[in-house]
Amino acid sequence: MTQPLLREIRTLIAAEGPLPVSRYMALCLGHPRHGYYITRDPLGATGDFTTAPEISQMFGELIGLWAVAMWQQMGAPAPFRLVELGPGRGTLMADALRAARLVPPFAAAASLHLVETSPALRTAQARTLAGLAPAPAWHDRVEDVPDGPAIVLANEFFDALPVDQFVFALGAWHERRVGLEADGRLVFGLDPAPSHAAAAFAAGLPGPAEGAVLEHMESGPARALATRLAAQGGVALVVDYGHAGGFGDTLQALARHAFADPLAAPGEADITAHVDFSALATLARAAGLKAFGPLGQGDFLTRLGLPQRAERLKRDAGAAARAAVDAAVARLAGAAEDQMGRLFKVLVLAHSDAGVPPAFDPSEEFVP
Ligand code: SAH
């Protein structure tokens, strides 16, 4: 098998030296010709991973109803921007718009904006959303979405943003880099010079142990989103797997529903890192927003009425379909250590005029 991206990365390292992890990850996912997301639709049973909206229509429906309630609470602005970051196949948005038909003025007031860099997935989104109103417009970046109050949805978007990694060794932070072995294999190594950036990122965290790993997400998209919401009003619903700060190596690769070595086949596997919700909330607060959560996905969906929606779907269904609904509820909301309902978390970033978002309690405002 030829691996054009591996060849290109080898040449790059030979010329410039070992790459920051963020540069490597950005090339793997977004290289204009060979990037993982650029070349394929990775979702679903035949792809590399499955996301919540692909498990069941209930996920997008409940989020659609959340968006309607949020919009009403914001004073029903018309027009407003309904935005999705990284919409995958468009499944979440299609289910959300169908559910939102219960309140026709919502779709009538909305213009739909999809922030997506993958040509393959833009095509899939156009197909899924065909015939639904409003019709989508596509953008490469958050910054390109036209002005106005916004309701922004992002499921498994932030985990695809590049991270840098730093390792605490012999009393100082060192940047982890991707280098090249004599036999052509890619390997992780450490930049010998101490990293001042990492020392700043780690300020306020408890003293690290030898070998501790610190991750720092590329913050451009989050900053653009927060600045925009603070200036023009609105909210963002962020759903992702993640943690509330601290240390740990969460970089992982997935191919055909199994973990893979992130360095083995660049551009052929999905690479993600867990979202640091504490960093995201802190960034949003610094921009003038409020943050709510992170709340477990299971609790969030249950509060929005997942059990009732499941019962409704089962009422007119045969035995197999009823079992499928039960299985989907367990997968989306299961609270065991290794289940989505616990691993995935929901964080809402909100303009202070938007109030406490539906499904959240005032006591769940994020305060560091
Ligand atoms: N939200 C979808 C898909 C998640 S996969 C779902 O839940 O099924 C990640 C999505 O983000 C894909 O659509 C991918 O193409 C997109 N994406 C990744 N990096 C991006 C970037 N930097 N800018 C815009 N979209 C990006």
Side-chain angles (χ1 to χ4, degrees):
M1 185 168 73
T2 62
Q3 293 196 23
L5 186 55
L6 178 59
R7 276 207 307 277
E8 200 165 318
I9 288 173
R10 281 181 186 141
T11 308
L12 197 60
I13 296 173
E16 297 180 13
L19 304 177
V21 173
S22 60
R23 178 96 189 276
Y24 175 75
M25 196 170 159
L27 286 167
C28 287
L29 296 181
H31 182 284
R33 270 169 300 120
H34 311 305
Y36 177 77
Y37 280 117
I38 305 305
T39 55
R40 72 195 75 204
D41 170 358
L43 289 150
T46 55
D48 291 318
F49 60 94
T50 299
T51 57
E54 303 297 333
I55 291 171
S56 166
Q57 69 189 73
M58 293 184 286
F59 186 79
E61 289 171 347
L62 292 170
I63 287 180
L65 297 178
W66 178 90
V68 171
M70 190 69 244
W71 176 71
Q72 288 170 330
Q73 187 175 306
M74 284 161 57
F80 78 101
R81 310 290 178 188
L82 180 60
V83 183
E84 188 173 355
L85 311 181
R89 288 183 175 166
T91 308
L92 189 164
M93 188 54 78
D95 292 333
L97 289 175
R98 280 190 202 101
R101 282 181 182 153
L102 283 172
V103 182
F106 175 83
S111 62
L112 181 57
H113 301 272
L114 306 180
V115 176
E116 175 60 69
T117 41
S118 163
L121 288 173
R122 282 187 181 197
T123 303
Q125 291 152 21
R127 205 179 306 130
T128 307
L129 291 165
L132 286 164
W138 280 271
H139 311 280
D140 284 333
R141 304 176 313 151
V142 177
E143 291 90 322
D144 303 332
V145 176
D147 286 354
I151 295 179
V152 181
L153 309 176
N155 186 60
E156 290 210 51
F157 170 76
F158 284 96
D159 67 11
L161 297 183
V163 294
D164 280 310
Q165 289 191 318
F166 305 90
V167 179
F168 197 73
L170 298 175
W173 289 104
H174 296 270
E175 186 172 355
R176 181 177 266 173
R177 300 219 163 169
V178 177
L180 194 58
E181 292 275 59
D183 65 3
R185 273 184 309 127
L186 301 179
V187 285
F188 285 118
L190 290 188
D191 183 354
S195 163
H196 299 296
F201 301 148
L205 292 172
E210 181 72 12
V213 176
L214 179 68
E215 292 181 337
H216 182 76
M217 181 184 79
E218 181 198 290
S219 58
R223 229 174 271 283
L225 176 64
T227 308
R228 177 222 164 88
L229 292 176
Q232 301 175 44
V235 298
L237 177 79
V238 176
V239 186
D240 231 309
Y241 55 135
H243 55 85
F247 303 121
D249 177 0
T250 74
L251 195 73
Q252 65 179 39
L254 272 182
R256 286 165 292 283
H257 300 269
F259 288 111
D261 173 356
L263 300 184
E268 305 288 325
D270 187 33
I271 302 187
T272 59
H274 288 202
V275 173
D276 181 345
F277 283 107
S278 171
L280 192 53
T282 302
L283 180 155
R285 285 167 57 88
L289 300 177
K290 290 186 173 179
F292 293 87
L295 177 66
Q297 173 176 300
D299 287 335
F300 177 71
L301 294 176
T302 302
R303 291 181 194 181
L304 290 177
L306 179 67
Q308 294 81 353
R309 182 69 188 124
E311 282 313 312
R312 179 69 195 80
L313 283 177
K314 280 160 70 179
R315 211 188 295 160
D316 311 318
R322 295 157 65 100
V325 171
D326 286 337
V329 170
R331 241 181 122 182
L332 292 174
E337 208 66 43
D338 59 341
Q339 283 182 305
M340 274 189 119
R342 158 105 45 113
L343 288 175
F344 277 69
K345 297 185 172 58
V346 182
L347 184 78
V348 176
L349 311 178
H351 190 282
S352 51
D353 292 347
V356 178
F360 285 83
D361 185 85
S363 69
E364 289 165 339
E365 181 173 351
F366 178 93
V367 184

